[in-house]
Amino acid sequence: MATPTEHDHHRMCVEAVSTRNRRGMHSTGTEVDGARGVFAVDSTAPGAAPQGLDAFRRGWETQIGDDVFQLPAFSPDTIGDFRVKGNVAKVHGAAIADLHAASATRTADVPGGDQDLVAMYVVRRGAWTLGGPPAYGDQTVSAGQFLVRHLGRLTAFETSADLTAKFLVLPPDELKPLLGNRVITGAADSAEMRLLTALTDVIHITVADLGPAGVAAAHGTLIELTKAVLKGQFDDVEPRLAPALTQAAKDLADRRLADPELSPAMLARELNVSVRTLHRAFAAAGEQVSTYIRHRRLHEARLALVAPSGRLSISELAAHWQFADGSHFTRAFKKHFGQTPSEYARSTAAATRSPDRHL
């Protein structure tokens, strides 16, 4: 039995949960493609450093592998204050890491060592500064930006505190010829990056349940969309891109639900595709763009009906969620949920007051 000190160390320093699909690990212990994991590390917990960082390193090596990306040595300050959480996914020779770092990080020095890969950094908050060849100097990826480059050797880097970023490690075979010696930067909300981000989110969710063919398809689509980022355009008739296009459109619609301009045409314009291409992508999943928008608006309106902060009237809800009028909203609500908005609000209030609600 662990002593209280050991138990506290385990609980406070590192929380790591990894999940593999059926093909994630052979009985021999050798790693195969298609794995994911989540982690949370805090090396500032009593007695944690450097064990906290060591645990993170072990988790990375288990989930991703040094053959994909070798973690560098970190500075003493980083080892003493390493507060990072996130999730990682691996598909063939590619890896995706979503990172949230409360603490700043910095490598101990220029790591060196041969490495042949393409790396992409997508920063949503904070900044990531990358060491580079003398001709290029350091480069900083600021919030709202991405950077893609080929790495022939490990290089130094540092990140700011409160960093939220996506880090992709990609095999170089198909991408290096497009990159050459260039470093490509751009806006993280470009049409191509929206699709790539949507795809990586889907991979994180689904990779543990994919078979070998699914893993291969996810890998192929990831490479195709990275090519699109490098070229600044993508092939909108490529069928493999339909799931990513659909997810990107949904993500964008979810952020614009109250916008009176939200429509299939607006989404297509933002994603740099034709309306026909967008409809075709949704149809491949058995959906319609307009139906998705209407159902999401109805769902948000239903939540607003019982919001504790104060209810809007039916006409106010209809106007906020872009229905023609209160009658149109009521008909759509009843068709979707089987009750009028007033009936739903009354039934929910009655259920909340019921003395049996805790049974």
Side-chain angles (χ1 to χ4, degrees):
M1 181 178 295
T3 66
T5 299
E6 292 168 337
H7 174 77
D8 290 343
H9 175 82
H10 175 76
R11 177 178 60 83
M12 296 176 66
C13 301
V14 181
E15 178 187 349
V17 181
S18 59
T19 306
R20 299 181 187 281
N21 63 12
R22 291 185 299 274
R23 294 147 299 278
M25 182 74 77
H26 286 304
S27 58
T28 59
T30 57
E31 182 81 17
V32 295
D33 297 323
R36 68 180 293 271
V38 298
F39 59 87
V41 181
D42 182 356
S43 69
T44 65
Q51 290 91 338
L53 183 56
D54 288 343
F56 172 73
R57 188 181 297 278
R58 288 195 300 272
W60 180 276
E61 290 172 352
T62 299
Q63 290 295 329
I64 302 302
D66 278 346
D67 59 321
V68 176
F69 181 79
Q70 181 181 347
L71 286 175
F74 288 99
S75 70
D77 288 346
T78 299
I79 294 171
D81 183 5
F82 191 78
R83 289 169 288 139
V84 180
K85 63 181 180 180
N87 53 69
V88 296
K90 179 182 180 183
V91 284
H92 285 320
I96 307 159
D98 285 346
L99 305 171
H100 305 278
S103 59
T105 63
R106 184 165 55 89
T107 53
D109 48 30
V110 179
D114 292 335
Q115 192 104 311
D116 186 19
L117 56 88
V118 170
M120 178 183 293
Y121 311 79
V122 187
V123 177
R124 296 296 179 183
R125 186 175 63 183
W128 197 325
T129 300
L130 310 163
Y136 293 96
D138 291 349
Q139 294 174 307
T140 297
V141 191
S142 301
Q145 299 292 312
F146 76 85
L147 181 148
V148 188
R149 64 179 183 173
H150 173 258
L151 292 178
R153 295 176 64 83
L154 292 175
T155 58
F157 67 82
E158 59 182 88
T159 68
S160 67
D162 297 319
L163 174 81
T164 299
K166 191 182 293 287
F167 175 51
L168 282 75
V169 179
L170 302 159
D173 295 351
E174 297 182 58
L175 301 175
K176 186 177 176 181
L178 288 174
L179 267 174
N181 293 323
R182 295 182 301 156
V183 173
I184 294 180
T185 61
D189 63 353
S190 68
E192 295 78 25
M193 281 303 303
R194 287 184 191 273
L195 265 67
L196 182 61
T197 298
L199 175 66
T200 61
D201 291 342
V202 170
I203 288 174
H204 275 299
I205 294 168
T206 62
V207 68
D209 298 317
L210 294 178
V215 172
H219 176 270
T221 306
L222 184 62
I223 297 301
E224 287 303 312
L225 277 176
T226 304
K227 288 180 181 178
V229 170
L230 301 183
K231 295 176 181 177
Q233 62 182 10
F234 58 89
D235 181 0
D236 61 4
V237 299
E238 168 56 61
R240 288 183 297 178
L241 304 187
L245 177 57
T246 301
Q247 188 60 49
K250 289 180 177 180
D251 291 344
L252 184 56
D254 288 348
R255 293 194 293 271
R256 305 276 186 89
L257 284 176
D259 187 341
E261 300 299 320
L262 177 60
S263 66
M266 185 270 270
L267 293 174
R269 185 169 60 251
E270 291 281 338
L271 295 169
N272 199 28
V273 297
S274 68
V275 176
R276 181 180 179 184
T277 295
L278 184 62
H279 283 306
R280 188 167 58 237
F282 270 75
E287 297 182 280
Q288 293 182 348
V289 186
S290 297
T291 300
Y292 177 82
I293 294 171
R294 183 172 67 254
H295 287 176
R296 286 290 294 115
R297 284 173 164 169
L298 287 169
H299 174 75
E300 293 299 324
R302 182 173 67 165
L303 294 178
L305 276 169
V306 294
S309 57
R311 254 181 251 161
L312 298 175
S313 68
I314 299 301
S315 59
E316 288 172 331
L317 282 172
H320 183 76
W321 296 112
Q322 306 306 316
F323 289 89
D325 52 42
S327 297
H328 180 245
F329 169 63
T330 297
R331 288 194 299 271
F333 192 99
K334 185 173 183 178
K335 182 178 180 181
H336 191 60
F337 295 115
Q339 294 177 298
T340 67
S342 298
E343 289 169 345
Y344 175 78
R346 285 195 298 269
S347 65
T348 302
T352 301
R353 291 192 301 269
S354 171
D356 297 328
R357 67 183 184 274
H358 297 304
L359 297 182

